[in-house]
Amino acid sequence: MRRVLGDLALPLLRALAPERAHRAAIRALALMPASAPAQSDPALAVEAFGLKFPNPLGLAAGFDKNAEAVDGALSLGFGFVEVGTLTPRPQAGNPQPRLFRLDEDQAIVNRMGFNNCGHSDALARLARRKGRAIVGVNIGPNKDASDRTADFVAGVKTFADVADYLTINISSPNTPGLRDLQQGEALDALIARVIDARDAGRSRPPLLVKIAPDVTLAELDAIVAVARKRRIDGMIVSNTTLARPANLQSRHANETGGLSGRPLFEASTALLAQTFRRVERQFPLIGVGGIEDADTAMAKIEAGASLVQIYTGFVMRGARVIDDILEGLAERVKARGVGSIGALVGTAAR
Ligand SMILES: Cc1cc2nc3c(=O)[nH]c(=O)nc-3n(C[C@H](O)[C@H](O)[C@H](O)COP(=O)(O)O)c2cc1C
């Protein structure tokens, strides 16, 4: 099945409109027979946020928004899967077309707008899962929420018992005003309430904050200060960018929305290194943005990521990118003469 998805299905999926191709991929993964998650090289095991990851490569949020394909994705070899973004009530998202493949640039522009099935559907699916592999739940507010913080709090309460970690998404460019929550005071107030909600529950999963690549260094100073003060468990760097590098070739380059994939790599990796320096190992980071092979994954780790995630590179290259990255990382760990991938975290961030 892995080979089928990797080799045969990819050209077929490419022939479909992007959103139909995505639905087809989710359906195929949802139909995969449940099997034990693939075995990883022990040198790739990572301990972070009190969790033991078999390898550092995760499927980024937004691919399996509704938690329909978690076990299929895990059996492809991912070390963890992040579902969502999930909002309290189901939401249709923006009108189509809203997903554009920039093949010439190995990139995607999307303005999906948090289309998702809502909390209760996803909760039911996650509660039925028997697997023990790591699943993070990414939460956000409904577009028409009168109190966004209340929507985040609802997400924490709803998913605390089924999520291995929770991600507070304040960085999607497609929900108007959401990114304003990255400003120091607004973030502090949000995090305080979210942590109270988490700590009032039984399970108390780790809480991560996912940021945009477009924040200034002054804004990053304030974000990290809040994260450290409130003892956030980790940060994810980064979401998609509103920026458009000058050299994009695709006719879709100027579509409204967030850009991901190869053209995002440099900016998101630079911001990751800046974040790593400010965090001073108080908590681990997840690096995401433009990973497409072992070299780009390794660069994220050296810039300060304990774990990495991929979305666009997986869409562009298919499931074989997972083995490529994991084998390449294991080779690099051995070539450096260290026992484990953790020894390489942040070695290039200074
Ligand atoms: C179509 C699409 C939908 C996405 N939806 C979400 C989402 O719902 N929540 C979120 O936090 N990130 C979302 N992302 C962002 C990814 O998780 C990731 O941060 C970003 O794409 C950069 O990684 P990449 O270059 O490997 O794609 C989405 C990305 C794409 C391409």
Side-chain angles (χ1 to χ4, degrees):
M1 190 65 179
R2 255 167 117 171
R3 283 198 66 94
V4 172
L5 272 173
D7 300 341
L8 270 175
L10 201 58
L12 294 177
L13 291 177
R14 284 241 172 84
L16 296 176
E19 198 156 342
R20 285 189 63 196
H22 181 247
R23 277 305 313 158
I26 292 287
R27 262 191 228 117
L29 286 173
L31 287 173
M32 275 176 79
S35 62
Q39 289 294 311
S40 301
D41 188 317
L44 295 184
V46 174
E47 224 177 305
F49 331 115
L51 301 170
K52 289 194 164 111
F53 296 77
N55 70 63
L57 179 63
L59 180 58
F63 189 87
D64 187 13
K65 285 180 191 271
N66 298 327
E68 297 166 279
V70 173
D71 292 302
L74 289 164
S75 57
L76 293 178
F78 283 115
F80 64 112
V81 170
E82 184 168 318
V83 302
T85 297
L86 287 154
T87 59
R89 285 169 287 110
Q91 191 168 275
N94 289 320
Q96 295 189 33
R98 53 192 179 175
L99 177 61
F100 304 89
R101 208 163 38 209
L102 283 60
D103 285 310
E104 299 88 336
D105 306 301
Q106 294 291 298
I108 290 175
V109 169
N110 92 82
R111 51 170 178 268
M112 304 299 285
F114 290 170
N115 57 307
N116 78 104
C117 65
H119 283 178
S120 58
D121 252 42
L123 175 65
R125 267 193 292 279
L126 289 168
R128 277 200 300 272
R129 280 192 67 238
K130 292 187 193 74
R132 274 167 297 150
I134 295 176
V135 179
V137 179
N138 178 310
I139 54 177
N142 277 112
K143 184 178 180 184
D144 60 357
S146 54
D147 178 355
R148 289 203 180 101
T149 303
D151 278 14
F152 280 108
V153 166
V156 171
K157 288 186 176 157
T158 302
F159 294 110
D161 291 341
V162 295
D164 292 295
Y165 71 85
L166 291 166
T167 300
I168 307 300
N169 180 11
I170 48 172
S171 49
S172 167
N174 301 311
T175 294
L178 185 68
R179 288 179 164 208
D180 298 344
L181 292 170
Q182 295 178 122
Q183 303 301 321
E185 272 178 36
L187 181 63
D188 192 46
L190 171 67
I191 298 298
R193 277 188 59 194
V194 160
I195 287 188
D196 279 351
R198 190 268 313 262
D199 290 349
R202 205 161 30 96
S203 305
R204 301 187 179 196
L207 270 178
L208 280 57
V209 173
K210 183 169 179 178
I211 66 169
D214 308 322
V215 297
T216 63
L217 291 182
E219 287 167 336
L220 183 66
D221 285 342
I223 292 169
V224 172
V226 168
R228 291 183 62 161
K229 179 179 93 174
R230 296 281 175 197
R231 297 185 183 281
I232 275 294
D233 298 280
M235 280 172 60
I236 306 184
V237 184
S238 72
N239 215 310
T240 57
T241 181
L242 286 171
R244 293 292 183 273
N247 57 354
L248 294 177
Q249 303 296 316
S250 166
R251 68 192 164 95
H252 297 307
N254 290 320
E255 287 289 348
T256 299
L259 174 73
S260 57
R262 190 178 288 172
L264 174 60
F265 176 76
E266 234 173 88
S268 61
T269 307
L271 188 72
L272 173 67
Q274 292 285 356
T275 308
F276 182 78
R277 283 189 230 154
R278 285 162 174 75
V279 168
E280 298 178 302
R281 294 189 189 268
Q282 293 301 298
F283 49 72
L285 305 177
I286 300 183
V288 50
I291 290 177
E292 57 179 297
D293 55 19
D295 282 337
T296 43
M298 195 69 229
K300 292 282 188 200
I301 290 165
E302 290 173 338
S306 297
L307 300 160
V308 297
Q309 292 175 323
I310 186 171
Y311 188 137
T312 305
F314 176 55
V315 170
M316 292 287 165
R317 294 197 49 211
R320 63 168 56 193
V321 75
I322 303 165
D323 285 345
D324 274 8
I325 291 175
L326 295 178
E327 283 163 18
L329 287 180
E331 278 164 21
R332 284 160 180 75
V333 170
K334 279 175 197 116
R336 301 282 189 90
V338 292
S340 124
I341 189 106
L344 300 176
V345 173
T347 48
R350 277 168 287 277

